[in-house]
Amino acid sequence: ALGRTGATLLAHGADRALRLYAVPPAPADPPRLAHTLADPVVDAAWVHACFSGEGEYVAAGRVTPHGRYELCLWHVDDGSLADRLPGPRVGVTGLSWHPARSFLAASTSDGLVDMWGPRMDWKAFAPAFRALEMNVVYIEREDEFDKVSEADERKERLRLEREAERAEAEDVDVVTVERVAVFDSDGESESEVFYIPTVVRTLTK
């Protein structure tokens, strides 16, 4: 693969390594080896490789021993590994980078094309954000998404503070035992205690 400007050349060797060559301006001069792009962790052959639109990165795809494809990105200037992108459990057959934007298309063995784009740091927008590897059932609280104005929140906060202060100010008597008036025959008359309202209705046929 030849870079966009023609100053870099990417070659795939039989030793499962990608070699990046610097192409001299003079046609008579041979290309010079700049960097060797390899991954010592996973020993798998590269299926396809390409340059980014601006020629700043090299992307290569392969199938790992676990049966899923993986994309690796390297910096062209120093040959360092920039990122590793694990894909689904399918094979990768080809790669194509958008000529002007940071989008990478990967054709897969199941007949689909996976589109890869820049990673979003969602924690910058929501500090409590947590990425999930699979779908989970979430049960929301009853008032989780209720819209509450700042004035209502302020009133509720003041009400709770007053109730807390009132509870702290009250003395709780845990020693005195009070008598129940309904069982005190001297204090209540039986007619008042056991009074049941009665209504007499006349039934007609």
Side-chain angles (χ1 to χ4, degrees), residues 13-29:
D15 56 350
R16 300 181 178 181
L18 299 173
R19 288 176 173 82
L20 189 64
Y21 293 90
V23 179
D29 297 335

Side-chain angles (χ1 to χ4, degrees), residues 109-157:
S109 58
D110 57 355
L112 300 178
V113 176
D114 295 342
M115 298 299 299
W116 295 82
R119 290 184 176 180
M120 294 293 295
D121 185 11
W122 294 105
K123 292 184 178 180
F125 302 95
F129 174 80
R130 180 170 60 92
L132 301 177
E133 296 183 358
M134 59 184 300
N135 294 335
V136 296
V137 178
Y138 178 76
I139 302 176
E140 65 182 60
R141 300 189 306 272
E142 182 179 355
D143 58 343
E144 184 173 2
F145 298 102
D146 294 345
K147 294 183 178 179
V148 182
S149 62
E150 294 183 359
D152 294 338
E153 291 182 355
R154 192 179 303 108
K155 291 180 180 178
E156 181 66 15
R157 186 166 54 252

Side-chain angles (χ1 to χ4, degrees), residues 62-75:
R62 64 184 173 187
V63 180
T64 65
H66 301 288
R68 65 173 67 243
Y69 80 82
E70 183 182 50
L71 306 181
C72 291
L73 307 179
W74 290 273
H75 293 282

Side-chain angles (χ1 to χ4, degrees), residues 124-205:
F125 302 95
F129 174 80
R130 180 170 60 92
L132 301 177
E133 296 183 358
M134 59 184 300
N135 294 335
V136 296
V137 178
Y138 178 76
I139 302 176
E140 65 182 60
R141 300 189 306 272
E142 182 179 355
D143 58 343
E144 184 173 2
F145 298 102
D146 294 345
K147 294 183 178 179
V148 182
S149 62
E150 294 183 359
D152 294 338
E153 291 182 355
R154 192 179 303 108
K155 291 180 180 178
E156 181 66 15
R157 186 166 54 252
L158 292 175
R159 185 184 66 81
L160 295 176
E161 291 177 356
R162 293 195 189 97
E163 290 182 356
E165 293 176 356
R166 191 180 304 111
E168 293 179 357
E170 293 180 355
D171 294 332
V172 180
D173 187 1
V174 296
V175 178
T176 305
V177 179
E178 297 181 355
R179 294 183 300 172
V180 181
V182 71
F183 299 111
D184 189 0
S185 59
D186 296 335
E188 300 288 343
S189 62
E190 294 184 359
S191 60
E192 293 179 354
V193 175
F194 300 102
Y195 173 79
I196 300 176
T198 305
V199 177
V200 179
R201 299 181 184 273
T202 303
L203 302 178
T204 58
K205 296 183 179 180

